Amino acid sequence: MKRISLTQYLVEEQRSHDSIPAELRLLIEVVARACKTISHAVGKGALGEVLGSAHSENVQGEVQKKLDILSNEILLEANEWGGHLAAMASEEMETIHQIPHRYPKGEYMLLFDPLDGSSNIDVNVSIGTIFSVLKAPDGMATPTEADFLQPGSKQVAAGYAVYGPQTVLVLTTGNGVNCFTLDREMGSWVLTQQQMQIPTETAEYAINASNARHWYPPVQRYISELEAGKTGPRGKDFNMRWIASMVADVHRILNRGGVFMYPADARDPSKPGRLRLMYEANPIAFIVEQAGGAATTGTERIMDLQPTQLHQRVPVFLGSKNEVELVTRYHQQA
Ligand code: F6P
Ligand code: MN
């Protein structure tokens, strides 16, 4: 089998579609290299003394794990000096990160969730990194937080890595979705799946059902119909999976279909859902749509949302098109 590396893929994409300018190519390669470093740290586990709590909290009041902080630092350090970025933003940092004055600046802005699925770190279950790339407003050498508040439809690239039995990198630059597998011996990313497509039909769903009593009526209705199986209104049996790492659940859905939900619920109106728009919902929505799926808040397309805050949360329904459209219709009817 002829092996195509991430570098070769990016160069050839640039040649054939003119879609990946050199600076963006550098950015993607640097992020991919940082993911390699994170994968290595994750793989060491207890031997690398990287497990456990860092005894600190992030801006949303969540306890940070040592690996959350380490992954954040790896991404910041890797991306500071290349001259491709105007600024960065991270789920683990209260405000945006400016590029130090000693380095040149570029036209892109990078946003990331350094380590998604933190509750799985210490128990050796798949976790990952999610990233999103935006363009800085023209001529903006030092972007402000407001410059980051662009709708997901403005993303020029997005991707995620999963640190699991295999380490994979899934990437879109707006021309379909491709998957690269890390060759751990060679230290290189090898193209292993091209133009991934999410099956339109599915019999699998993912939701944290322990929150069922707090769900709003459209979600109650949709899930109870799935649960009713063959003898219910849907006329078929559905299976449920919940990994509690969005990246890992999404990777399953990209490969064999399914619908992933983290709805808003009746608990705390200041927290509509759990997932962050800028670091989780937007990049994953971009990938899912590029793979032929759909991603909504229940009422609107995620990538159409005008963000109002860097760390804002949104309800999320994404994956196989037919299911996302159905649950979205139930919201619109309600
Ligand atoms: O980043 C948020 C996250 O960890 C996702 O990766 C995951 O899908 C979800 O939260 C898990 O939520 P819960 O703890 O409710 O299962
Ligand atoms: Mn996350």
Side-chain angles (χ1 to χ4, degrees), residues 84-101:
H84 51 286
L85 287 182
M88 292 182 251
S90 163
E91 189 182 302
E92 299 298 337
M93 297 186 300
E94 187 159 359
T95 186
I96 62 172
H97 180 87
Q98 298 290 355
I99 302 299
H101 291 304

Side-chain angles (χ1 to χ4, degrees), residues 113 116-118 208 242 244-246 260 262 274-276 280:
D113 175 356
D116 177 62
S118 301
N208 183 344
W242 184 252
S245 287
M246 187 197 204
F260 173 96
Y262 216 115
R274 175 174 169 117
L275 301 172
R276 264 62 49 133
E280 297 173 314

Side-chain angles (χ1 to χ4, degrees), residues 214-290:
H214 306 295
W215 292 337
Y216 292 124
V219 179
Q220 301 271 11
R221 172 183 175 194
Y222 177 68
I223 299 294
S224 65
E225 291 182 3
L226 301 184
E227 285 171 346
K230 246 198 184 96
T231 53
R234 299 296 305 272
K236 70 174 183 183
D237 289 334
F238 285 81
N239 194 8
M240 197 192 80
R241 288 284 182 272
W242 184 252
I243 301 174
S245 287
M246 187 197 204
V247 274
D249 278 312
V250 165
H251 196 62
R252 181 189 63 252
I253 289 169
L254 229 63
N255 278 286
R256 67 176 194 214
V259 52
F260 173 96
M261 292 159 277
Y262 216 115
D265 62 37
R267 273 174 293 181
D268 179 356
S270 74
K271 286 184 183 164
R274 175 174 169 117
L275 301 172
R276 264 62 49 133
L277 174 62
M278 304 303 287
Y279 319 105
E280 297 173 314
N282 268 341
I284 298 295
F286 190 18
I287 292 166
V288 163
E289 284 197 8
Q290 283 290 315

Side-chain angles (χ1 to χ4, degrees), residues 50 56 109 190 233 277 306:
V50 291
S56 54
M109 303 191 295
V190 181
L277 174 62
Q306 173 59 52

